[in-house]
Amino acid sequence: MHDRLGRPGIEELRILRSRVAHLERANAEHQRTPETLQASEEYKLLLVAEQVAHVGSYSRDLRTDAIRWSDETYRILGYEPREVSPSFEFIAGHVHPEDRAKFLEANRAVVEEDKPYDIEYRIVRKDGAIRAVRSRASVERDPAGRPVRMLGALQDITEREQTEEQLRALSARHEAILAEVPDIIAEVDANKVYTWINQAGLEFFGPDVLGKEAAFYFEGAQDTYKIVEPLFNGSPRVFYLESWQRRRDGEKRLLAWWCRALVDAEGKVTGALSTARDITERKKAEATLLASETRYRTIFEQAGDYVLMLELGPDGIPVITDANEAALLAHGYSREELLGKPISLLDPELTPETNAERVRIAREAGGLFPVRHRRKDGSFFDAEVRAKALPLGAKTVFLTVERDITERKRAEEALRESECFFRESQRVAFIGSYQTDFTAGRWKSSETLDHIFGIDKRYDRSVQGWLEIVHPDDREMMGQYLKDEVIGKRKLFDKEYRIIRKSDGETRWVHGLGRVDFDAQGNLLSMIGTIQDVTERKRMEEALRKETAIAQTFMDALPCVALLLKPGTREIVALNKAAREAGAQLGATCFGSWPKFDKACWFCRAPQAWETGTPQTLEVEALGTVWEAHWVPVTKELYLHYALDITEHKRAEDALRQAKEYAETLIQTANVMIVGLDTAGNVTVFNDAAETICGYTRAELEGKNWFEVLVPKDKYPYVWKEFTRLLEGGLPKTFENPILTKSGEERHISWQNSELFEKGGIAGTISFGVDVTERKRAEKRLQESEEKYRALFDNSTDGIVVHQLTPDGSPGRFLAANDALCKMLGYSREEMLVLSPRELDSPAWAQTAVLDAAQLKAQGRTRLEIEMKRKDGRMVPVEINACLVVLNGETAILSNVRDITERKRAQMEVQRHQEELRRVSRLSTLGEMASGFAHELNQPLSAILSYVSASQRSIQAQDTDSERLIKNLDQVVSQAKRAGEIIKRVRAFAQRRPVRVSTIDVNEIVREVLAFVRSDVVHKEVEVALELGEGLPLVPADAIQLQQVLVNLVRNAIEAMETTEPQDRRLTIRTSLAAPGTVKVAVSDRGVGLDPAVLPLLFNPFFTTKAQGLGVGLAISRSIVEMHKGQLWAEPGRGRGCTFAFTLPTGQHNHKEHHVDVPPDGTSYHKNGQHDIGEDDHA
Amino acid sequence: MLELEPTVFIVDDEEAVRGGLAELVRTIKLNVETFATGQEFLEAYDPSRPGCLLLDVRLPGKSGLRLQDEMIARGITLPIIFISGHADLPMAVDSMKKGAFDFMEKPVGDQVLLDRINAALAEDQRRRETNGEVEAFQKELGLLTAREHEVLDLLKAGQSTNAIAEALGITQKTAQVHRTRVLEKLHVDSVPALLTALHRVNMM
């Protein structure tokens, strides 16, 4: 509102300065070109301009010391132009004594030293006024450098200095306002608990206000608390409220609250931001004003006199603007009927002349005049009117107090009729009466008057005597009044004046009414009148006047423009100092009074205030300022209008609101639950996240006890204990507890709690909660799982071990080992974990592991059987299932180690049994083939015999053909060897022997077997066809077992062809490379073929279609082939016969076939050679 | 026919056995020819050549017994000495029934074998002589009437004249007459002589 100062701002100053500079230049020019230009128009203009700008110019001839001034220079110094002849001494004499030295030094310096001349100093004008001036000058010099002339300009900068001073003050004030908002600014949450408050608020309520409910500070009427409820229900957004609050020092103060609902994005009210101002004093002033006003009103309304308010209409006839009840009643009109009507309605006999006379009387000093008024019903009554013109703003209001003198007349009459009654009534009414006989110069007084005057019968009842009674201060005035008005103008004596009561010297107010009678010649005859002691009334009036003054003072004290206005016309009927300063004038319209408002404000709420009878408040932003405008109905005819500059407040409020909204948004949009509780555990803060998680809305939980609603019953004691512990300042401030959501689900929340301090104690807590249910569940699951797995790990009968995976794939350091493994290996767990896995292994593992590492890497798991070394040195056969696992980001090998000692033993037992069975089977075969073998053996034997016999005979016959003899003997040797081989073969077939794997040529085996079954083949007249593949790879196999398989198949084939015609008995043995790394052997016959029904049974032990034999041949053959990792199957032949075929892996294809060497029945093996188990080990 | 030297034929799939036997036979200065299979022997043998056959029972392809059948079918009367690796009685009986000269089990003692070879050779010679008588006898048989053949068959069965008469439904006298004519036509004087003659020509 600095604009209202109407003084130049900085911008104006700047312009002023540039103008001055221009003038100085012009003036200097003018000084150089004297006389000729002085009369020119331009020069005149310059002079005017100087005058306007308060800049004078001067020149001083330094040789002659002659000085010339411009007109304005004279004026600045308080002279009329050319009034004096200036000299340097003259000028110096006008310089303020304190600045004179500075002035002289500057003048000396500019002349003698050519220093710049620009000084500010004070001058004492001709009239004694002190002004600030600024003077700038320069010195002209001749070519020799001697000073010739000094040209200068003189500017009156008093105004500027004052303005600058004011600006400085204003700026300081703004800074002060900015530095500290004096209003209380506070924020409450939806529960009306203080959540933020500014310094002013802290100073008012005390430092512990935050967290307290607003009601805590309410004094008395708590219903105000309910009044603000709509604010929290969403309407209205802004609320004005005045409430009595308890200040920190315990004093009751009235605060004016401007509350603004804080609304979240969904339109939900989350709290309120309020600014409050201590309006106790203002309110007291207002209350006083109101009381005063009420009193006035009461008087006005309740007065027995008929009071009318009038304003002059356009035609000069007063128009009734108000009337009191008595007036309405007396005239029989309603207020509506009367208001706005001319007075002629009541006074039909009124002539313009009479009216003009009455207006004059009213305007001048107020006066009494008799009237004759007509009632609505047409009847007339006599009345006495006292009219007074009251200036109200620009208008004049006429107040008329009309007294029905019909009654008075009647009463007077009655009094006259009864002196006693008159006196009595005078006494009662405290009205004395007198009668003055001017001719005699004496007056008579009634008893009551004597009492009022405090005189006795002896008192000098002369005019002088009366004047002596009159208060000395009023004496002159009263004498004058009596002489001029009453006698001179023959007016009714009607005057209130003070007297000194003679009896006790007390000053009393009396109201005298009297009428002077004149004779026909106009001579003063007598005066009859009454005197009423109106002291009490006067005192009351005085008090009222004082109160009104006080009200005005309060109004003036308002830091803003305040106006008392009439509702319809918006005429200012009272205004405060600020308003006056702002330019508002009494009687003007309000808008005209506001700077820069030249028309009615569009936002004016006066009508609403008027219609509703309730104060209106509106925030308006206009002219760069935010105003908080108030319209407060004061009386029926007046309303108070004031506007507070709340720009700064607003800005602060906005900033606060933004900060608050930001905080609020943060709270509401925070992912974490934010829950505030008071010390009782009632919910004070409850954000969106909390709603989502708890399933309750804020509204549902408002005022509810958190622990009763949300804490599961069984957890209540614990959680409550934690809460109370927290309230006592306990630590830690984080804990977890389950809550019961609305849906009945338990959710686990991890809380970060803080206490809310208030009054040095803890008022509650604010807690930040994270729903850790899933994490908790996961944790629980994890824990359960961990326990489960730990139990599995610890209680597993299998050994479990985890070790690092070294870069070469071999097992590294042990990371974990379970009890079973420790027990298995005879180590304690501590010992285990520091051991190198290699120390536990059989030498095989080192190699195996590297080989298996490839598989581990490729497939993630591998299985191997090795032996591990126990602590006591014994080896334990174990089966290891190893897989790669990632533990804590590190790849490790998890091995399940199973002690297979028993299994091994059992397997060996099985193996032994199987081997035995095979041998029995072989023996059985041998038995069946016995005759064949006999024949086979017979052949060489008979050949031997023949050769030997022949040789003997030759020798006996002296036939000495030695060559032949030797040939025969060679034959004998060869046949003997052959016989031996046959026997050896049979023995081998029958022998109890361990499995012996060697690399074998399958074709060789076929030939051996053919030799073996030769006698059968020959005997059964079977033709044998061999289709032996060439260059077949060798296979790792046990030769005898392989023979056993082939013998079985060949003999089966031969037997199958018994019923076949001899010429068709053809046995084909075919060997081939079936697939890479697989050799196939097929035995085909032309026998009866296979009944498909027996195919499934073919390989069952003890299944046979033959009369002889155990029926285990095929079963054993298959077990042998499978032991060699091969397959044995039967194929029905085309037409007839069938083929039995088996395959054998060569073991040279790739690493996968590596395990070919490991018989599936668990036969142990060595990589680097043969390894015997079986009878030899277990016999 | 007799002007030819007899030969000992040996069929055995095993060379050593063959060789041994051949060496042994040679010690008694007999010709020896050896064959690995029966088929080889059949292809090479001329029935006019005298001798005997040492035949292994078990032979790959065609067994000894099957070779004997083949030889009977071809009317080869060469005496066969079977040599078996092991005593197989039914096989021996069967072969003997079919006219094998002998059946011997390996190993065979040298003297026994050589004796039997000689015997077989003698038998072969005898058979070759008999073969002439038979041809004449069969010519005489062709002269017999149908009734006389009937009577001959009954005589071969050892029937008396009365039984013959009864069997043929003729009188004893008529039967006597037929008997006398048969004996006359076949140039024998008595019934036993008849039977001997018939036996000699292998008609019994």
Side-chain angles (χ1 to χ4, degrees), chain B residues 118-166:
Chain B
N118 283 329
L121 289 175
E123 171 65 16
D124 183 59
Q125 193 170 4
R126 192 194 56 77
R127 276 180 197 173
R128 286 179 193 279
E129 288 163 1
T130 312
N131 278 353
E133 293 169 29
V134 171
E135 278 169 28
F137 191 75
Q138 280 185 338
K139 207 180 277 179
E140 288 160 2
L141 276 179
L143 300 173
L144 295 181
T145 64
R147 180 57 82 180
E148 285 163 356
H149 269 291
E150 285 175 354
V151 173
L152 178 62
D153 287 342
L154 291 166
L155 285 173
K156 275 161 74 177
Q159 301 292 329
S160 67
T161 308
N162 285 346
I164 292 166
E166 200 174 319

Coordinates of all heavy atoms in Angstrom, one line a residue, chain B residues 118-166:
Chain B
N118 N 39.8 -156.7 -44.9 CA 40.1 -157.9 -45.7 C 38.8 -158.7 -45.9 O 38.5 -159.1 -47.0 CB 41.2 -158.8 -45.1 CG 42.6 -158.2 -45.3 OD1 42.8 -157.6 -46.3 ND2 43.5 -158.4 -44.4
A119 N 38.1 -158.8 -44.9 CA 36.8 -159.6 -44.9 C 35.8 -158.9 -45.9 O 35.2 -159.6 -46.7 CB 36.2 -159.7 -43.5
A120 N 35.8 -157.6 -45.8 CA 34.9 -156.9 -46.7 C 35.4 -157.0 -48.2 O 34.5 -157.1 -49.0 CB 35.0 -155.4 -46.3
L121 N 36.7 -157.0 -48.3 CA 37.1 -157.2 -49.7 C 36.7 -158.6 -50.2 O 36.3 -158.7 -51.4 CB 38.7 -157.0 -49.8 CG 39.2 -155.6 -49.5 CD1 40.7 -155.6 -49.5 CD2 38.6 -154.6 -50.6
A122 N 36.8 -159.6 -49.4 CA 36.5 -161.0 -49.8 C 35.0 -161.0 -50.1 O 34.6 -161.7 -51.1 CB 36.8 -161.9 -48.6
E123 N 34.2 -160.4 -49.2 CA 32.8 -160.3 -49.5 C 32.4 -159.7 -50.8 O 31.6 -160.2 -51.6 CB 32.1 -159.5 -48.3 CG 30.7 -159.2 -48.5 CD 29.7 -160.4 -48.5 OE1 30.2 -161.5 -48.0 OE2 28.6 -160.3 -48.9
D124 N 33.2 -158.6 -51.1 CA 33.0 -157.9 -52.3 C 33.2 -158.8 -53.5 O 32.5 -158.9 -54.5 CB 33.9 -156.7 -52.4 CG 33.6 -155.9 -53.7 OD1 32.4 -155.4 -53.9 OD2 34.6 -155.6 -54.5
Q125 N 34.3 -159.6 -53.4 CA 34.6 -160.6 -54.4 C 33.5 -161.6 -54.6 O 33.1 -161.9 -55.7 CB 36.0 -161.3 -54.1 CG 36.5 -162.0 -55.3 CD 37.9 -162.5 -55.1 OE1 38.5 -162.3 -54.1 NE2 38.5 -163.0 -56.2
R126 N 33.1 -162.1 -53.5 CA 32.0 -163.1 -53.5 C 30.8 -162.6 -54.1 O 30.1 -163.2 -55.0 CB 31.8 -163.6 -52.0 CG 30.9 -164.9 -51.9 CD 30.4 -165.0 -50.5 NE 29.7 -163.9 -50.0 CZ 28.4 -163.6 -50.3 NH1 27.7 -164.4 -51.1 NH2 27.8 -162.6 -49.7
R127 N 30.5 -161.3 -53.7 CA 29.3 -160.7 -54.3 C 29.4 -160.5 -55.8 O 28.4 -160.7 -56.5 CB 29.0 -159.3 -53.7 CG 28.3 -159.4 -52.4 CD 28.2 -158.0 -51.8 NE 27.9 -158.1 -50.4 CZ 27.8 -157.0 -49.6 NH1 28.0 -155.8 -50.1 NH2 27.5 -157.2 -48.3
R128 N 30.5 -160.2 -56.2 CA 30.7 -160.0 -57.6 C 30.5 -161.3 -58.4 O 29.9 -161.4 -59.5 CB 32.1 -159.4 -57.9 CG 32.1 -157.9 -57.5 CD 33.4 -157.2 -57.7 NE 33.3 -155.9 -57.0 CZ 32.7 -154.9 -57.5 NH1 32.1 -154.9 -58.7 NH2 32.7 -153.8 -56.8
E129 N 31.0 -162.5 -57.8 CA 30.8 -163.8 -58.4 C 29.3 -164.2 -58.4 O 28.7 -164.7 -59.4 CB 31.5 -164.9 -57.6 CG 33.0 -164.8 -57.8 CD 33.9 -165.6 -56.8 OE1 33.3 -166.2 -55.9 OE2 35.1 -165.4 -56.8
T130 N 28.6 -164.0 -57.3 CA 27.2 -164.3 -57.2 C 26.4 -163.5 -58.2 O 25.4 -164.1 -58.7 CB 26.7 -163.9 -55.7 OG1 27.6 -164.5 -54.8 CG2 25.3 -164.4 -55.5
N131 N 26.8 -162.5 -58.5 CA 26.0 -161.6 -59.4 C 25.8 -162.3 -60.7 O 24.7 -162.2 -61.3 CB 26.8 -160.3 -59.7 CG 26.5 -159.3 -58.5 OD1 25.7 -159.6 -57.6 ND2 27.2 -158.2 -58.5
G132 N 26.7 -163.3 -61.2 CA 26.5 -164.1 -62.4 C 25.4 -165.1 -62.3 O 24.5 -165.2 -63.1
E133 N 25.3 -165.9 -61.2 CA 24.3 -166.9 -60.9 C 23.0 -166.2 -60.9 O 22.0 -166.7 -61.4 CB 24.6 -167.5 -59.5 CG 25.8 -168.4 -59.4 CD 26.2 -168.8 -58.0 OE1 25.2 -168.9 -57.2 OE2 27.4 -168.9 -57.7
V134 N 22.9 -165.1 -60.3 CA 21.6 -164.4 -60.1 C 21.0 -164.1 -61.5 O 19.8 -164.3 -61.7 CB 21.7 -163.1 -59.3 CG1 20.5 -162.3 -59.3 CG2 22.1 -163.5 -57.9
E135 N 21.8 -163.6 -62.4 CA 21.3 -163.2 -63.7 C 20.6 -164.4 -64.3 O 19.5 -164.4 -64.9 CB 22.5 -162.7 -64.6 CG 22.8 -161.3 -64.3 CD 24.1 -160.8 -64.9 OE1 24.5 -161.3 -66.0 OE2 24.7 -159.8 -64.4
A136 N 21.3 -165.7 -64.2 CA 20.8 -167.0 -64.8 C 19.5 -167.3 -64.1 O 18.5 -167.8 -64.7 CB 21.8 -168.1 -64.7
F137 N 19.5 -167.3 -62.8 CA 18.4 -167.7 -62.0 C 17.2 -166.9 -62.3 O 16.1 -167.4 -62.4 CB 18.8 -167.5 -60.5 CG 17.9 -168.1 -59.5 CD1 17.8 -169.5 -59.3 CD2 17.0 -167.3 -58.8 CE1 17.0 -170.1 -58.4 CE2 16.1 -167.9 -57.8 CZ 16.1 -169.2 -57.6
Q138 N 17.4 -165.6 -62.5 CA 16.3 -164.7 -62.8 C 15.7 -165.1 -64.2 O 14.5 -164.9 -64.4 CB 16.7 -163.3 -62.7 CG 16.8 -162.8 -61.3 CD 17.1 -161.4 -61.1 OE1 17.7 -160.8 -62.0 NE2 16.7 -160.9 -59.9
K139 N 16.6 -165.5 -65.1 CA 16.1 -165.9 -66.4 C 15.1 -167.1 -66.3 O 14.1 -167.2 -66.9 CB 17.3 -166.3 -67.3 CG 17.0 -166.1 -68.8 CD 18.2 -166.5 -69.6 CE 19.3 -165.5 -69.7 NZ 20.5 -165.9 -70.5
E140 N 15.5 -168.1 -65.4 CA 14.7 -169.3 -65.1 C 13.4 -168.9 -64.5 O 12.3 -169.4 -64.8 CB 15.5 -170.3 -64.2 CG 16.6 -170.9 -65.0 CD 17.7 -171.5 -64.1 OE1 17.5 -171.4 -62.8 OE2 18.7 -172.0 -64.5
L141 N 13.5 -167.9 -63.5 CA 12.3 -167.5 -62.8 C 11.2 -166.9 -63.8 O 10.0 -167.1 -63.7 CB 12.6 -166.4 -61.8 CG 13.1 -166.8 -60.4 CD1 13.4 -165.6 -59.6 CD2 12.0 -167.6 -59.7
G142 N 11.7 -166.3 -64.8 CA 10.8 -165.8 -65.8 C 10.0 -166.8 -66.6 O 9.0 -166.5 -67.2
L143 N 10.5 -168.1 -66.5 CA 9.8 -169.2 -67.2 C 8.6 -169.7 -66.3 O 7.7 -170.4 -66.8 CB 10.7 -170.3 -67.5 CG 11.9 -170.0 -68.4 CD1 12.9 -171.2 -68.4 CD2 11.4 -169.6 -69.8
L144 N 8.5 -169.3 -65.1 CA 7.4 -169.8 -64.2 C 6.1 -169.2 -64.6 O 6.1 -168.0 -65.0 CB 7.8 -169.5 -62.8 CG 9.0 -170.1 -62.1 CD1 9.2 -169.7 -60.7 CD2 8.9 -171.6 -62.2
T145 N 5.0 -170.0 -64.4 CA 3.7 -169.5 -64.7 C 3.3 -168.7 -63.4 O 4.0 -168.7 -62.4 CB 2.7 -170.6 -64.9 OG1 2.6 -171.4 -63.7 CG2 3.1 -171.5 -66.1
A146 N 2.2 -168.0 -63.6 CA 1.6 -167.2 -62.5 C 1.4 -168.1 -61.2 O 1.7 -167.8 -60.1 CB 0.4 -166.5 -62.9
R147 N 0.7 -169.3 -61.5 CA 0.4 -170.2 -60.5 C 1.7 -170.7 -59.8 O 1.8 -170.8 -58.6 CB -0.4 -171.4 -61.0 CG -0.8 -172.5 -60.0 CD -1.6 -171.9 -58.9 NE -3.1 -171.7 -59.2 CZ -4.0 -171.2 -58.4 NH1 -3.7 -170.8 -57.2 NH2 -5.3 -171.1 -58.8
E148 N 2.8 -171.0 -60.7 CA 4.0 -171.5 -60.1 C 4.7 -170.4 -59.3 O 5.4 -170.7 -58.3 CB 4.9 -171.9 -61.3 CG 4.5 -173.2 -61.9 CD 5.1 -173.4 -63.3 OE1 5.8 -172.5 -63.8 OE2 4.9 -174.5 -63.9
H149 N 4.6 -169.1 -59.7 CA 5.1 -168.0 -58.8 C 4.4 -168.0 -57.5 O 5.1 -167.8 -56.4 CB 4.9 -166.7 -59.5 CG 6.0 -166.3 -60.4 ND1 7.3 -165.9 -59.9 CD2 6.2 -166.2 -61.8 CE1 8.1 -165.7 -61.0 NE2 7.4 -165.8 -62.1
E150 N 3.1 -168.2 -57.5 CA 2.4 -168.2 -56.2 C 2.9 -169.4 -55.3 O 3.1 -169.2 -54.1 CB 0.8 -168.4 -56.5 CG 0.1 -167.2 -57.0 CD -1.3 -167.4 -57.4 OE1 -1.8 -168.6 -57.4 OE2 -2.0 -166.4 -57.7
V151 N 3.1 -170.5 -56.0 CA 3.5 -171.6 -55.2 C 4.9 -171.4 -54.7 O 5.3 -171.6 -53.5 CB 3.5 -172.9 -56.1 CG1 4.2 -174.1 -55.4 CG2 2.1 -173.3 -56.5
L152 N 5.8 -170.6 -55.6 CA 7.2 -170.3 -55.1 C 7.2 -169.5 -53.9 O 7.9 -169.7 -52.9 CB 8.0 -169.6 -56.3 CG 9.4 -169.2 -56.0 CD1 10.3 -170.4 -55.7 CD2 10.0 -168.4 -57.1
D153 N 6.3 -168.4 -53.9 CA 6.3 -167.5 -52.8 C 5.9 -168.2 -51.5 O 6.5 -168.0 -50.4 CB 5.2 -166.4 -53.1 CG 5.8 -165.4 -54.1 OD1 7.0 -165.4 -54.3 OD2 5.0 -164.6 -54.7
L154 N 4.9 -169.2 -51.7 CA 4.5 -170.0 -50.5 C 5.6 -170.9 -50.0 O 5.8 -171.1 -48.8 CB 3.2 -170.8 -50.8 CG 1.9 -169.9 -51.0 CD1 0.8 -170.7 -51.6 CD2 1.5 -169.3 -49.7
L155 N 6.4 -171.4 -51.0 CA 7.5 -172.3 -50.6 C 8.6 -171.5 -49.9 O 9.2 -171.9 -48.9 CB 8.1 -172.9 -51.9 CG 7.3 -174.1 -52.5 CD1 7.9 -174.5 -53.8 CD2 7.2 -175.2 -51.6
K156 N 8.8 -170.2 -50.4 CA 9.8 -169.3 -49.8 C 9.3 -169.0 -48.3 O 10.1 -168.9 -47.4 CB 9.9 -168.0 -50.5 CG 10.8 -168.1 -51.7 CD 10.6 -166.9 -52.7 CE 11.1 -165.6 -52.2 NZ 10.9 -164.6 -53.3
A157 N 8.0 -169.0 -48.1 CA 7.5 -168.8 -46.8 C 7.5 -170.0 -45.9 O 7.1 -170.0 -44.8 CB 6.0 -168.2 -46.9
G158 N 8.0 -171.1 -46.5 CA 8.1 -172.4 -45.7 C 6.9 -173.2 -45.6 O 6.7 -173.9 -44.7
Q159 N 5.9 -173.0 -46.6 CA 4.7 -173.7 -46.5 C 4.8 -175.1 -47.0 O 5.6 -175.4 -48.0 CB 3.6 -173.0 -47.3 CG 3.3 -171.5 -46.8 CD 2.6 -171.5 -45.4 OE1 1.9 -172.4 -45.1 NE2 3.0 -170.5 -44.7
S160 N 4.1 -176.0 -46.4 CA 4.0 -177.4 -46.9 C 3.1 -177.5 -48.1 O 2.4 -176.6 -48.4 CB 3.6 -178.3 -45.7 OG 2.2 -178.0 -45.5
T161 N 3.2 -178.7 -48.8 CA 2.4 -178.9 -50.0 C 0.9 -178.8 -49.6 O 0.1 -178.2 -50.4 CB 2.7 -180.3 -50.6 OG1 4.1 -180.4 -50.8 CG2 2.0 -180.4 -52.0
N162 N 0.5 -179.5 -48.5 CA -0.9 -179.4 -48.1 C -1.3 -178.0 -47.9 O -2.4 -177.6 -48.3 CB -1.1 -180.3 -46.8 CG -1.0 -181.8 -47.1 OD1 -1.1 -182.2 -48.3 ND2 -0.9 -182.6 -46.1
A163 N -0.5 -177.2 -47.2 CA -0.8 -175.8 -46.8 C -1.0 -175.0 -48.1 O -1.8 -174.1 -48.2 CB 0.2 -175.3 -45.9
I164 N -0.1 -175.3 -49.0 CA -0.1 -174.6 -50.3 C -1.4 -174.8 -51.0 O -2.1 -173.9 -51.5 CB 1.1 -174.9 -51.2 CG1 2.4 -174.4 -50.6 CG2 1.0 -174.3 -52.6 CD1 3.7 -175.0 -51.2
A165 N -1.8 -176.2 -51.1 CA -3.0 -176.6 -51.7 C -4.2 -175.9 -51.1 O -5.1 -175.4 -51.8 CB -3.2 -178.1 -51.6
E166 N -4.2 -175.9 -49.8 CA -5.3 -175.3 -49.0 C -5.3 -173.8 -49.3 O -6.4 -173.2 -49.5 CB -5.1 -175.5 -47.5 CG -6.4 -175.4 -46.7 CD -6.2 -175.8 -45.3 OE1 -5.5 -176.8 -45.1 OE2 -6.7 -175.1 -44.4

